[in-house]
Amino acid sequence: AITGRLRPDPQRFPNGLRTLAETLHTRGFLFGIYTDRGSKTCAGRPGSLNAEDLDAQTFAEWGVDYVKEDNCHSSTGANDRGTLFKQFQLFRDALNRTGRSIFFSVCGGGDQLMFSNLSYYATDLRGGAALANSWRISSDCVEWRTCHFAFRVAAGLGSKAQPGGFNDPDMLLGSSGGSARQLSQDRSRTQFSIWAILMAPLLIGTHPARMSAHDLETYSNAEVIAVNQDPLGKQGFMLSDTGLKVVWGRQLADRSWALVFQNDFFFLPLDVVCDMDCWAKLPFQNGTSLHVHDLWQKGPAQQALAIAGEVYAVHVP
């Protein structure tokens, strides 16, 4: 009989998705799944249009913990705000009616041109934390320029983020052969560091079984992950921006600050500095001595003491 209910692909999931979810949960993982607000997903599989309640209930019965809903194949276009917010709201409400706690990720990136600014998902009263647990704020990250665009859009939306509601600048691009899209090793680690400052969802775009040792080291750095997951729930921002040299900062629950010194010049190492203007955005009284810990070296920084108000420089490859 035709029920309209989604069915697992019997070749890829011969034991069903409920069994897969149980296996993942037993091993300490959560289970995420993907759908679309349109008639089809971006890959051409069935979407959730007019089947929001049935799909949400199916996902809950399968033991799903995270749902990403994409933006492809809408009959009214990718940016018809009246329709898209209504359709995403339908799925939000359907998930809530299941009674299962499921993280809802809204992705407006489907069917968008590169370098599309989707900040309205954060700023519109129908968007942000009223709509979902996370919301894409730009089109897809496919290489460094698009990642660069995404994190600069996200940097201006910190006031819209909060515990349980996050600006999403898209997935992490690894540096290994298992990545669908790839960055250099330095840039993949830079991306991970900036995403931690931005309190962004850390969604790894690399096949775990083919992940390089470098990417595994990057994505398993507990100290950087702790910055991303800091319970204060306050998104970071740019303390200094000269184009090629950026200093990012984020206040943490223990009253310390996490900083990222970014060299965006492809060819040469540069000294990136926190100068007087940078210090003015931090809460420390001039002359205060601060101990500096390097989260990647997992010990004291090369310049282990900073004096508030005095130039602090980091040599960045």
Side-chain angles (χ1 to χ4, degrees), residues 49-67:
L49 181 65
N50 299 323
E52 289 85 1
D53 278 295
L54 182 58
D55 286 357
Q57 189 60 45
T58 299
F59 295 159
E61 290 172 3
W62 285 345
V64 168
D65 305 293
Y66 172 104
V67 174

Side-chain angles (χ1 to χ4, degrees), residues 1-316:
I2 298 174
T3 64
R5 184 179 289 270
L6 293 169
R7 294 181 298 172
D9 184 324
Q11 278 72 48
R12 300 184 71 182
F13 307 107
N15 297 316
L17 289 176
R18 177 68 192 180
T19 300
L20 175 60
E22 291 171 351
T23 301
L24 290 170
H25 291 155
T26 298
R27 298 182 181 184
F29 291 98
L30 299 179
F31 179 33
I33 206 163
Y34 170 92
T35 187
D36 194 285
R37 72 178 179 90
S39 58
K40 295 186 289 186
T41 69
C42 300
R45 293 181 179 271
S48 290
L49 181 65
N50 299 323
E52 289 85 1
D53 278 295
L54 182 58
D55 286 357
Q57 189 60 45
T58 299
F59 295 159
E61 290 172 3
W62 285 345
V64 168
D65 305 293
Y66 172 104
V67 174
K68 173 181 175 179
E69 189 172 32
D70 215 330
N71 191 52
C72 287
H73 298 289
S74 167
S75 61
T76 61
N79 293 295
D80 180 344
R81 299 189 191 187
T83 298
L84 69 86
F85 281 121
K86 180 180 178 181
Q87 291 178 341
F88 284 127
Q89 288 165 354
L90 285 172
F91 208 88
R92 172 202 64 194
D93 295 343
L95 288 174
N96 287 337
R97 281 192 290 271
T98 68
R100 181 174 176 81
S101 178
I102 299 175
F103 188 107
F104 183 39
S105 170
V106 161
C107 174
D111 283 348
Q112 300 285 358
L113 298 174
M114 291 176 65
F115 304 106
S116 292
N117 186 327
L118 305 180
S119 57
Y120 67 82
Y121 276 93
T123 58
D124 193 290
L125 292 177
R126 296 164 292 183
L131 179 65
N133 299 113
S134 67
W135 47 89
R136 282 279 297 280
I137 48 76
S138 71
S139 47
D140 292 354
C141 285
V142 296
E143 39 70 67
W144 183 246
R145 291 175 301 159
T146 47
C147 290
H148 189 276
F149 177 81
F151 65 62
R152 285 184 171 268
V153 173
L157 298 171
S159 65
K160 307 302 179 182
Q162 61 186 57
F166 310 100
N167 295 304
D168 181 3
D170 202 13
M171 298 182 73
L172 297 162
L173 304 186
S175 65
S176 54
S179 305
R181 313 278 187 178
Q182 293 183 43
L183 298 174
S184 68
Q185 289 188 344
D186 285 343
R187 283 185 165 168
S188 67
R189 190 159 288 184
T190 298
Q191 185 194 21
F192 191 65
S193 300
I194 294 172
W195 264 230
I197 294 290
L198 290 174
M199 197 169 67
L202 301 179
L203 301 172
I204 298 172
T206 300
H207 193 303
R210 296 194 292 269
M211 190 181 297
S212 68
H214 181 274
D215 282 357
L216 180 59
E217 181 182 43
T218 297
Y219 297 144
S220 61
N221 185 316
E223 294 184 66
V224 178
I225 293 171
V227 171
N228 176 264
Q229 302 286 307
D230 184 77
L232 183 62
K234 194 170 183 178
Q235 180 179 307
F237 57 96
M238 293 181 183
L239 296 169
S240 174
D241 177 18
T242 63
L244 293 177
K245 297 185 283 187
V246 182
V247 181
W248 299 81
R250 180 178 175 188
Q251 183 181 3
L252 304 180
D254 65 0
R255 301 176 66 185
S256 67
W257 279 71
L259 271 62
V260 170
F261 291 75
Q262 179 192 355
N263 170 13
D264 212 26
F265 192 60
F266 188 71
F267 300 105
L268 293 173
L270 295 173
D271 286 335
V272 182
V273 303
C274 186
D275 57 16
M276 284 293 292
D277 290 337
C278 170
W279 281 109
K281 298 173 184 175
L282 294 166
F284 306 108
Q285 184 175 357
N286 284 351
T288 303
S289 296
L290 301 165
H291 295 284
V292 184
H293 178 80
D294 188 325
L295 302 188
W296 287 109
Q297 297 302 319
K298 300 180 181 178
Q302 186 172 4
Q303 186 178 336
L305 186 68
I307 307 298
E310 298 183 8
V311 169
Y312 183 87
V314 177
H315 191 68
V316 185

